Amino acid sequence: IYYNENIYRPKDRHYKEIKQSGVEYIGKLTTYAEAEVIALAVKSLKLLGKNIRIRISDVSLLAEIFENMNLTEFTQNRIFQLFESKNSAGLDRLVKEGKFEISVAEKLKELLILYCPFEEGIKRLEELELLGNLAHFKELSAAFAAFGVLESIYLDFSLINSMDYYNGIIFQGVISDIPF
């Protein structure tokens, strides 16, 4: 089921109205289903312009990384805010506050600035050794390739939206020459 309507998000003690299109998947959410929805987004955007990108993030993956680092919930929430604004200096502040070691901050900075084609992003995640299992991302990559959309998909962990609502893969499409 899809929707294309105005939604309201809390911001600065007020609600901000934004236009949003989305999909609600009915049934068991599988890797194939996720890839199918994202492939549909790629193909839909290509009807509007040739130079498009889909930015993908995975909220559950970030949460797992933070939990593996034994970060408190308060610190995790602060890091999510820093990721959303790509604020690596904020990570340095957290080190100075004693929230984690500088070695952890360096790995988080790599993750924070990560913006690259999906397959390359998987390789970079493996190099960072933040997670033992990236099988889900590898399966997504294979599905994107099978759908013929892999070249349009980029990994970007700064794409964080309503952490209290979303709990898995989130994505956003962009088209060149269209500002928003």
Side-chain angles (χ1 to χ4, degrees):
I1 298 174
Y2 74 93
Y3 62 91
N4 185 24
E5 60 190 24
N6 292 344
I7 63 164
Y8 300 89
R9 292 268 163 85
K11 183 172 181 150
D12 301 326
R13 298 185 206 162
H14 294 74
Y15 283 92
K16 180 181 178 185
E17 181 179 10
I18 60 172
K19 186 78 162 172
Q20 179 172 302
S21 296
V23 175
E24 298 295 331
Y25 193 85
I26 309 276
K28 184 177 180 185
L29 187 59
T30 63
T31 302
Y32 179 87
E34 288 175 326
E36 184 178 36
V37 167
I38 293 167
L40 176 62
V42 169
K43 292 177 181 187
S44 297
L45 290 176
K46 283 188 175 181
L47 294 172
L48 302 173
K50 292 185 181 191
N51 190 11
I52 67 107
R53 290 217 173 121
I54 298 286
R55 298 169 46 216
I56 289 185
S57 183
D58 187 332
V59 176
S60 62
L61 185 90
L62 284 176
E64 185 178 340
I65 288 169
F66 298 163
E67 286 175 25
N68 289 345
M69 294 177 167
N70 295 318
L71 302 173
T72 66
E73 186 176 339
F74 178 77
T75 301
Q76 288 180 37
N77 289 334
R78 288 180 66 187
I79 293 171
F80 277 126
Q81 291 169 348
L82 296 173
F83 267 64
E84 191 171 23
S85 60
K86 286 197 178 267
N87 182 349
S88 61
L91 292 171
D92 293 331
R93 251 188 330 274
L94 291 175
V95 169
K96 287 179 184 173
E97 293 174 13
K99 301 297 182 191
F100 46 79
E101 299 294 320
I102 195 159
S103 60
V104 171
E106 293 306 316
K107 285 189 175 191
L108 288 173
K109 283 180 187 179
E110 288 283 329
L111 199 56
L112 182 140
I113 64 170
L114 184 69
Y115 177 79
C116 56
F118 197 73
E119 282 186 309
E120 182 184 328
I122 294 170
K123 289 176 188 166
R124 302 241 328 255
L125 286 172
E126 289 176 324
E127 291 167 4
L128 286 172
E129 298 177 343
L130 294 169
L131 285 172
N133 188 359
L134 291 169
H136 180 68
F137 269 26
K138 290 177 181 178
E139 290 172 13
L140 276 174
S141 183
F144 293 149
F147 280 121
V149 299
L150 183 60
E151 76 285 345
S152 299
I153 299 173
Y154 280 62
L155 200 54
D156 181 359
F157 288 108
S158 70
L159 180 59
I160 297 175
N161 196 354
S162 295
M163 299 301 297
D164 56 338
Y165 182 75
Y166 297 106
N167 60 6
I169 294 224
I170 56 176
F171 64 95
Q172 181 179 68
V174 293
I175 305 170
S176 65
D177 301 325
I178 298 178
F180 185 78

